[in-house]
Amino acid sequence: MAPVDELLAVIRTRSTGILSHVHGEHHWLVVAQAGLEVLDHAPDADRELVLLFALLHDTMRVHDGIDRVHGREASRFARALRAEGLLRLEPHRLDLLCEACDRHADGETTEEPTIAACWDADRLDIGRVGIRIDPAYLSTPVPDWGALIRRGRERRARSYTWDGLASAYRG
């Protein structure tokens, strides 16, 4: 992966959804933080892909309502970033990231650890739009989802930086 600031500069200029108060950059940051918390329970998940998912999954939204193609568009965007050398991912890892982006809003669950961590991190922030989180739609084997769910408001109220989160992901 290119340095996070280089990648962010490109994403910020090309994203159609960055300014959204519901699905924009603050949401991406919150999903990245939630991803760190989910990863504590997902040792087989690819940490870098979870961070990239948080950064990319809602970049191509055109509005905050039902936008059935935004995941596929985020996947296309990821492939374009790889073609430009900004995402240095092997083909199988790019495919995994793209699958997570493609289907993240479809209400599915999965046993694939990386995709599970991605989707769960995003779903842990669904309370921001007044939807109650249903653990039946969470995939990662977390012993106490209640604790992670209850931290949602706290997560949302905090300020995060991409550099700080990227450093935490590198651990």
Side-chain angles (χ1 to χ4, degrees):
M1 179 170 82
V4 72
D5 56 340
E6 184 181 339
L7 186 58
L8 272 169
V10 172
I11 290 170
R12 285 177 173 148
T13 61
R14 296 188 198 168
S15 171
T16 58
I18 194 167
L19 298 178
S20 166
H21 69 281
V22 177
H23 294 100
E25 189 168 1
H26 182 67
H27 167 62
W28 311 343
L29 287 157
V30 172
V31 170
Q33 174 59 40
L36 284 169
E37 296 173 33
V38 170
L39 284 167
D40 286 341
H41 306 278
D44 295 332
D46 184 318
R47 295 177 69 83
E48 181 182 18
L49 294 186
V50 175
L51 175 62
L52 290 171
F53 170 85
L55 183 56
L56 292 167
H57 75 287
D58 279 346
T59 54
M60 296 293 120
R61 289 192 74 93
V62 293
H63 55 75
D64 287 327
I66 295 172
D67 182 349
R68 299 206 188 277
V69 299
H70 79 279
R72 284 188 299 281
E73 291 302 316
S75 176
R76 281 192 195 102
F77 186 35
R79 290 185 188 284
L81 292 171
R82 181 177 185 269
E84 295 169 32
L86 289 166
L87 289 182
R88 298 181 189 119
L89 298 174
E90 301 86 351
H92 71 280
R93 291 178 71 224
L94 178 66
D95 289 344
L96 199 59
L97 173 62
C98 290
E99 182 178 350
C101 288
D102 281 345
R103 298 175 24 222
H104 79 273
D106 293 348
E108 301 174 52
T109 59
T110 182
E111 292 184 13
E112 200 295 314
T114 300
I115 294 174
C118 292
W119 292 352
D120 292 347
D122 187 35
R123 290 172 186 168
L124 282 172
D125 196 35
I126 196 77
R128 77 192 184 286
V129 294
I131 297 173
R132 186 180 171 143
I133 300 168
D134 182 346
Y137 291 99
L138 300 171
S139 300
T140 305
V142 173
D144 181 13
W145 273 113
L148 287 178
I149 292 169
R150 284 189 296 278
R151 283 201 292 273
R153 282 195 182 134
E154 174 190 327
R155 232 181 266 115
R156 190 109 186 112
R158 289 181 52 202
S159 294
Y160 304 98
T161 66
W162 288 113
D163 284 337
L165 288 166
S167 179
Y169 269 86
R170 285 189 293 274

